[in-house]
Amino acid sequence: MPKFMDVHHAMHPVMDVHELGHHGMHGVTPEALQAAHQADLDIQDEEDVDFQRAWGDPDSGMVWCISEAPSAEAVQRIHERAGHPATEVYPVPVEV
Amino acid sequence: MPKFMDVHHAMHPVMDVHELGHHGMHGVTPEALQAAHQADLDIQDEEDVDFQRAWGDPDSGMVWCISEAPSAEAVQRIHERAGHPATEVYPVPVEV
């Protein structure tokens, strides 16, 4: 099954810095990423997708997911239905 | 040790489509990615970096590497010295 890397830009909108103050953690919290990933896992079988791992950067709001799937479109359909469409989905046939 | 995701855009310049013809595979071949990764591994101990995995998309020329390192700067120094500076290096403290 082909592998895909998908990228989410600023999954959670960055808050205004004055609103946020110095104590806020904008972007992706561990809980938010876990919930988003679980939402994918809950429906991924319907498109034969296997989301394997996800990484997030709270400061930039970037998230990357690695998956195995029949197509990039299948990956995107699951992400869209789970409420967090990817900004880009790339095939990654090369891996070391 | 913190984790980082670094991104390389068009690691190998995309060739002109007429020059390439219909048989060429532009972007990252398995051999090129293996060689680039090995060049990182050969010197990573000097910055206490551990490059764990890399994925490439030959069509877009995009490459992603996941590593553990003391800092984003340490990751970048190894990539620069190995001849393939990253376009961006992100901390990924959140992982599922």
Side-chain angles (χ1 to χ4, degrees):
Chain A
M1 187 83 86
K3 274 201 168 182
F4 295 89
M5 176 74 81
D6 67 73
V7 185
H8 305 253
H9 292 179
M11 192 168 169
H12 297 270
V14 174
M15 297 168 70
D16 181 89
V17 67
H18 299 292
E19 187 181 340
L20 195 65
H22 293 292
H23 307 290
M25 178 182 178
H26 57 241
V28 184
T29 64
E31 294 74 18
L33 188 63
Q34 182 59 53
H37 186 59
Q38 188 59 51
D40 291 326
L41 299 184
D42 287 347
I43 59 172
Q44 67 180 8
D45 288 355
E46 296 171 30
E47 294 275 1
D48 204 16
V49 176
D50 177 18
F51 283 102
Q52 299 177 326
R53 194 165 292 194
W55 301 266
D57 171 18
D59 285 339
S60 67
M62 298 278 285
V63 170
W64 296 263
C65 304
I66 195 90
S67 63
E68 289 187 358
S71 67
E73 291 72 24
V75 172
Q76 185 65 296
R77 280 194 293 269
I78 295 296
H79 274 335
E80 283 176 351
R81 289 178 51 202
H84 44 255
T87 311
E88 298 135 11
V89 183
Y90 296 92
V92 284
V94 180
E95 180 174 1
V96 298
Chain B
M1 189 82 86
K3 275 202 166 179
F4 296 89
M5 177 74 81
D6 67 73
V7 185
H8 304 253
H9 292 178
M11 191 167 169
H12 297 269
V14 173
M15 296 168 70
D16 181 271
V17 67
H18 300 293
E19 187 180 341
L20 194 65
H22 293 291
H23 307 290
M25 177 182 178
H26 57 242
V28 184
T29 64
E31 295 73 19
L33 187 63
Q34 183 59 53
H37 186 58
Q38 189 59 51
D40 291 327
L41 298 184
D42 287 347
I43 59 172
Q44 68 179 9
D45 288 355
E46 298 171 30
E47 295 275 1
D48 204 16
V49 176
D50 177 19
F51 283 103
Q52 300 176 328
R53 195 165 291 195
W55 301 267
D57 172 18
D59 285 338
S60 66
M62 298 277 287
V63 170
W64 296 264
C65 305
I66 195 89
S67 63
E68 289 188 356
S71 68
E73 291 72 22
V75 172
Q76 185 65 295
R77 279 194 293 269
I78 295 297
H79 274 334
E80 284 177 350
R81 288 177 52 202
H84 43 256
T87 310
E88 298 135 12
V89 183
Y90 296 91
V92 284
V94 180
E95 180 173 1
V96 296

